[in-house]
Amino acid sequence: MRTRFGKFYAAATTGAALSIAAFGSQAGETAMNSKYIERVAPLIATNQNQWLENDLWQREALSSRDRSIVTLSALIARGQLDAMPEIVEKALASDVTPEEIAEIINHLAFYTGFANARASIAAIGPVYEAHDIKAKQLPSDKLELLSYDKKAEQQRREFVDSKYGEVSPGTVSYTTDALFMDLWLRPGLAPRDRSLATVSALAATGQVEQVNFHLNKAMDNGLTETEAGEVITQIAFYSGWPKAFSALPVFKEIFANRKE
Amino acid sequence: MRTRFGKFYAAATTGAALSIAAFGSQAGETAMNSKYIERVAPLIATNQNQWLENDLWQREALSSRDRSIVTLSALIARGQLDAMPEIVEKALASDVTPEEIAEIINHLAFYTGFANARASIAAIGPVYEAHDIKAKQLPSDKLELLSYDKKAEQQRREFVDSKYGEVSPGTVSYTTDALFMDLWLRPGLAPRDRSLATVSALAATGQVEQVNFHLNKAMDNGLTETEAGEVITQIAFYSGWPKAFSALPVFKEIFANRKE
Amino acid sequence: MRTRFGKFYAAATTGAALSIAAFGSQAGETAMNSKYIERVAPLIATNQNQWLENDLWQREALSSRDRSIVTLSALIARGQLDAMPEIVEKALASDVTPEEIAEIINHLAFYTGFANARASIAAIGPVYEAHDIKAKQLPSDKLELLSYDKKAEQQRREFVDSKYGEVSPGTVSYTTDALFMDLWLRPGLAPRDRSLATVSALAATGQVEQVNFHLNKAMDNGLTETEAGEVITQIAFYSGWPKAFSALPVFKEIFANRKE
């Protein structure tokens, strides 16, 4: 299994195509993808190897594990199903556990929409089946949830409630019950990584006006400035340069404010 | 037919998977979707039932009919084809007629792009085929179009023409001829529901800067403040929390302005 | 081969399966797609012909070649795979060469994300195979790259480096090495068309805050004000009216500034 796994990962680094070419109904798609690169835009294969596989993913500023979390979160946020098998292979090969991937998908169900999460599951499933992987993910009522700063949560709650409680009471109450009293307290994904997935999803979709809360939370939980800056570089290649350039001034201001 | 329909709807509430598992090329994908939830992220099934089916969709603040219109519009706007069969089943089961769905798709062809509309048709088609449904939708020249406020339309036209007539004359003339003199006057979908679909599409894609005109139009036509606020809650679950939080301040200001 | 082809494509994407069941011919596209159009939303076929094919695409303000570049770029930016075969057929029929399409895809890999580029290749491949087309695209090291304004590039580099060099050094260095010293200097696509593809992708995704640099660059290289204004009209129909109305004030200001 380990050998087979290694082989698939080696394949994955040259493109999703090969990495699951043997498994079920998605194989056609990804095999075609690689088959058609030569016919339609051969330079994409060259650039994928030159700039992404052999350069971006090798940079020390961010670990392969973090790059996998950033990229998978960006793909889920934008509904880019075709690229997920390759990135999930990278994630599994860089010690992101199936349980952590399940928590990322569940986290982004709330932060990018349940339809995004369910479409991602359909895209990732064949990879898990091929590796005979199954995530053991417990519902919240069977977990010991993380402790939290009661005073800070009380302040968040009062602020949001006073500001929007009359505008959309449902949104405000679910924000407390489903998100801050449940989702964010699940131990299956480190708070730092949960914030990293959230920040990546926001940057990938250009919703930078809401990065402040989550990037600060991530950095409070240990994400370094160097790592945060390199998240933008990863987003540039996977979500496009304009998304990166919309994130730069926001990240810059947050870095500066944290130094004051 | 009715029984069979009921069966399909019961299936739909547990996931798009089962609802069209028997029909053509989409079946594999959606069946896989349900099959893979347990393997990849089992909590999604739990949350889908706990938070969405048994809670969100049961709330009185917005009817199931309206929730179906909001959700279908959000999915069309973001091109989320996988989730459409399930939501179309919900729409049909909550008395949205095939003719109204056809008007929503046609309306959003203009408000989210013709490619979105046509991809949605391909995703929804198998459900209609399974239920032997066909929308009877007449072209405008065979309809008696709704009357409209000639003075208000004249003002809109003069404002847009003076502002953008020289920048993009084509956009300005199509806005009058294709949208305000045709699309918005079609009787197949109530003006209140047409605006609801538009507002939902804007909120789902974060284009809140253009909500003002359409939300006011919807409320002028009978959408209540309670319903509008709950639209944001529906968007939170189907398009992600950040989209909801970008909409909250805009809706709040519109509600306040309408009270002055 | 035909069966296998269909099977593969059905695996490849959901709706697109329909669009090239007859080897990517427009006939196959409309035939297959219209099967569900008639059932789900017949007015879409009427509007597609009345407003798009027989009106928008016939307008003199922008050539069919440019409209193909604008539309293909908009579809790649938003990941709308289903509509690509039809638009690629239009592009090939209006003298966009396979090499130019390859450069557009490669350009948008950087400006919309590599996953967008690769998914597009999978959607376009079958059309090329059907027509026995293959793009001959050389890597940069085998090309004579275009010359460039060294002073302007030096200023750009110093500006970006001083502003963001410490925030995200990776993004800043790749912007120089991969984009301005390589991508933008490739002769396979005219600079005016490269900027047109970039502006179209930005407008199609509502990232208008970054249109200024690229629209000015396009107009410096020969895109006229009339053509630029009509790009917005094309985007209105293919990416939705709100995207067009977010672009209008930005284009208007750029037009005004260029006259001062």
Side-chain angles (χ1 to χ4, degrees):
Chain A
M1 175 58 192
R2 194 61 202 172
T3 318
R4 183 169 174 239
F5 189 92
K7 191 186 100 226
F8 282 116
Y9 180 57
T13 62
T14 70
L18 311 175
S19 70
I20 60 163
F23 323 138
S25 70
Q26 288 195 313
E29 170 188 6
T30 39
M32 275 208 326
N33 185 339
S34 124
K35 164 186 164 194
Y36 285 134
I37 286 180
E38 274 311 302
R39 182 183 280 278
V40 178
L43 189 60
I44 289 292
T46 314
N47 284 340
Q48 176 90 26
N49 290 325
Q50 177 186 343
W51 294 113
L52 280 72
E53 306 307 336
N54 302 330
D55 194 332
L56 178 71
W57 282 86
Q58 309 306 321
R59 291 168 54 85
E60 287 185 357
L62 197 64
S63 70
S64 292
R65 176 188 154 86
D66 285 340
R67 289 184 193 276
S68 302
I69 292 172
V70 169
T71 309
L72 179 60
S73 301
L75 295 178
I76 292 172
R78 298 178 70 209
Q80 299 185 290
L81 308 178
D82 302 1
M84 284 184 197
E86 171 180 1
I87 299 306
V88 166
E89 296 274 3
K90 283 180 180 290
L92 294 169
S94 54
D95 302 320
V96 182
T97 68
E99 287 70 29
E100 288 175 314
I101 292 173
E103 288 295 334
I104 290 169
I105 293 170
N106 183 55
H107 188 84
L108 295 180
F110 289 95
Y111 277 90
T112 72
F114 268 75
N116 295 55
R118 287 173 58 186
S120 306
I121 286 168
I124 293 170
V127 180
Y128 277 35
E129 200 164 52
H131 295 316
D132 196 21
I133 291 171
K134 186 184 186 317
K136 291 159 204 61
Q137 188 184 31
L138 293 173
S140 301
D141 56 21
K142 297 198 177 125
L143 278 181
E144 186 178 335
L145 296 176
L146 301 174
S147 61
Y148 61 97
D149 180 333
K150 299 215 165 18
K151 185 149 170 289
E153 166 55 18
Q154 185 61 28
Q155 289 171 340
R156 181 207 63 76
R157 200 176 300 194
E158 284 166 5
F159 174 77
V160 174
D161 188 38
S162 64
K163 204 165 177 190
Y164 300 124
E166 291 185 3
V167 178
S168 182
T171 305
V172 168
S173 63
Y174 284 123
T175 301
T176 295
D177 303 342
L179 271 57
F180 287 95
M181 289 296 94
D182 182 351
L183 183 69
W184 283 94
L185 304 182
R186 292 179 54 83
L189 186 67
R192 178 258 194 197
D193 294 346
R194 210 172 270 282
S195 295
L196 180 61
T198 313
V199 169
S200 302
L202 291 171
T205 52
Q207 298 178 276
V208 292
E209 72 277 8
Q210 300 193 44
V211 160
N212 186 62
F213 175 80
H214 294 292
L215 180 54
N216 273 300
K217 198 169 178 179
M219 295 178 81
D220 292 343
N221 286 308
L223 186 76
T224 69
E225 196 173 294
T226 300
E227 291 170 329
E230 186 72 1
V231 166
I232 296 179
T233 312
Q234 191 77 8
I235 289 295
F237 281 98
Y238 282 93
S239 307
W241 240 255
K243 296 293 195 313
F245 270 75
S246 295
L248 283 169
V250 177
F251 279 50
K252 181 180 183 177
E253 188 181 358
I254 293 168
F255 293 168
N257 291 342
R258 292 178 64 87
K259 294 196 179 77
E260 283 169 2
Chain B
M1 175 56 192
R2 194 59 204 174
T3 317
R4 185 171 171 236
F5 188 92
K7 194 185 97 227
F8 280 114
Y9 182 57
T13 62
T14 71
L18 311 175
S19 69
I20 62 163
F23 323 132
S25 69
Q26 289 192 311
E29 175 188 1
T30 40
M32 275 205 327
N33 184 340
S34 118
K35 164 185 163 194
Y36 286 133
I37 286 179
E38 273 311 301
R39 181 184 279 279
V40 178
L43 190 59
I44 289 292
T46 315
N47 284 340
Q48 176 90 29
N49 289 325
Q50 177 187 342
W51 295 113
L52 280 71
E53 305 307 337
N54 302 331
D55 193 331
L56 178 71
W57 282 87
Q58 309 306 322
R59 291 168 54 86
E60 287 184 359
L62 197 64
S63 70
S64 292
R65 175 189 155 87
D66 285 341
R67 290 183 192 278
S68 301
I69 293 172
V70 170
T71 309
L72 180 59
S73 301
L75 295 178
I76 292 172
R78 298 177 70 208
Q80 299 186 290
L81 308 177
D82 301 0
M84 283 183 198
E86 171 180 359
I87 299 304
V88 166
E89 297 274 3
K90 283 180 181 289
L92 294 169
S94 54
D95 302 319
V96 182
T97 68
E99 288 68 30
E100 288 175 313
I101 292 173
E103 288 296 333
I104 290 169
I105 293 170
N106 183 55
H107 188 84
L108 295 179
F110 288 94
Y111 279 89
T112 72
F114 267 75
N116 296 55
R118 289 172 60 186
S120 305
I121 286 169
I124 293 169
V127 179
Y128 277 35
E129 202 162 49
H131 295 316
D132 196 21
I133 292 172
K134 187 182 184 320
K136 292 160 202 60
Q137 187 185 32
L138 292 173
S140 301
D141 56 22
K142 298 200 178 122
L143 280 180
E144 186 177 337
L145 295 176
L146 302 173
S147 62
Y148 61 98
D149 180 333
K150 297 213 167 18
K151 184 149 169 290
E153 167 56 18
Q154 186 60 28
Q155 288 172 340
R156 183 208 61 76
R157 199 177 301 195
E158 284 166 4
F159 174 77
V160 173
D161 187 37
S162 64
K163 204 164 179 193
Y164 301 123
E166 290 184 5
V167 179
S168 181
T171 305
V172 168
S173 63
Y174 284 123
T175 301
T176 296
D177 303 341
L179 271 57
F180 287 95
M181 290 296 94
D182 182 353
L183 182 69
W184 282 95
L185 304 182
R186 292 179 54 84
L189 185 67
R192 177 257 196 200
D193 294 347
R194 209 172 272 282
S195 295
L196 180 61
T198 312
V199 169
S200 302
L202 292 171
T205 51
Q207 297 179 277
V208 292
E209 72 277 9
Q210 301 193 42
V211 161
N212 186 62
F213 175 81
H214 293 292
L215 181 53
N216 274 301
K217 197 168 177 179
M219 294 178 81
D220 292 342
N221 285 307
L223 186 75
T224 69
E225 196 172 293
T226 301
E227 291 171 329
E230 186 71 2
V231 167
I232 297 180
T233 311
Q234 191 77 9
I235 289 296
F237 280 98
Y238 281 93
S239 307
W241 241 255
K243 297 293 197 312
F245 269 75
S246 296
L248 283 169
V250 178
F251 278 49
K252 181 180 183 175
E253 188 182 356
I254 293 168
F255 292 168
N257 292 342
R258 292 178 65 87
K259 295 196 178 76
E260 284 169 2
Chain C
M1 174 54 193
R2 176 180 278 269
T3 316
R4 177 160 173 265
F5 185 86
K7 196 186 91 224
F8 268 111
Y9 211 84
T13 58
T14 310
L18 310 175
S19 66
I20 51 91
F23 289 85
S25 75
Q26 256 173 288
E29 204 274 340
T30 30
M32 295 302 298
N33 208 340
S34 69
K35 165 189 168 191
Y36 284 132
I37 285 181
E38 274 311 302
R39 182 183 278 280
V40 178
L43 189 60
I44 290 291
T46 315
N47 285 340
Q48 176 89 29
N49 289 326
Q50 177 186 342
W51 294 112
L52 281 71
E53 304 307 335
N54 302 331
D55 194 331
L56 177 71
W57 282 87
Q58 308 306 322
R59 291 167 55 84
E60 286 185 358
L62 197 65
S63 70
S64 292
R65 176 191 154 85
D66 285 340
R67 291 184 192 276
S68 302
I69 293 172
V70 169
T71 308
L72 179 59
S73 301
L75 295 177
I76 292 172
R78 297 178 70 210
Q80 299 185 291
L81 308 178
D82 301 3
M84 283 185 199
E86 171 180 359
I87 299 304
V88 166
E89 296 275 2
K90 283 181 181 289
L92 294 169
S94 54
D95 302 320
V96 183
T97 68
E99 288 68 31
E100 288 175 314
I101 291 172
E103 288 295 333
I104 290 169
I105 293 169
N106 182 55
H107 188 85
L108 295 179
F110 288 96
Y111 278 90
T112 72
F114 268 74
N116 296 56
R118 288 173 57 185
S120 305
I121 287 168
I124 293 169
V127 180
Y128 277 33
E129 198 164 54
H131 294 314
D132 196 20
I133 292 172
K134 187 185 184 315
K136 292 160 203 59
Q137 187 185 33
L138 292 173
S140 301
D141 56 21
K142 298 202 176 121
L143 279 181
E144 186 177 337
L145 296 176
L146 301 174
S147 63
Y148 61 97
D149 180 333
K150 298 217 166 15
K151 185 148 169 291
E153 166 56 17
Q154 185 60 29
Q155 288 171 340
R156 182 206 62 76
R157 200 177 300 195
E158 283 165 5
F159 174 78
V160 173
D161 187 39
S162 65
K163 204 165 178 190
Y164 301 123
E166 290 184 3
V167 178
S168 183
T171 306
V172 169
S173 63
Y174 284 122
T175 301
T176 295
D177 302 342
L179 270 57
F180 287 94
M181 290 295 94
D182 183 351
L183 182 68
W184 282 95
L185 304 182
R186 293 180 54 85
L189 185 67
R192 177 258 195 198
D193 294 347
R194 208 171 272 281
S195 295
L196 180 61
T198 314
V199 169
S200 303
L202 291 171
T205 52
Q207 298 179 277
V208 292
E209 73 277 8
Q210 301 193 42
V211 161
N212 186 62
F213 175 80
H214 294 292
L215 180 53
N216 274 299
K217 198 169 177 179
M219 295 178 81
D220 291 343
N221 285 307
L223 187 76
T224 68
E225 196 173 293
T226 300
E227 291 171 329
E230 186 72 2
V231 166
I232 297 180
T233 311
Q234 190 78 9
I235 290 295
F237 280 98
Y238 282 92
S239 307
W241 241 255
K243 296 293 195 314
F245 270 75
S246 296
L248 283 169
V250 177
F251 279 50
K252 181 180 183 177
E253 189 182 357
I254 293 167
F255 293 168
N257 291 342
R258 291 178 65 88
K259 294 196 179 79
E260 283 168 3

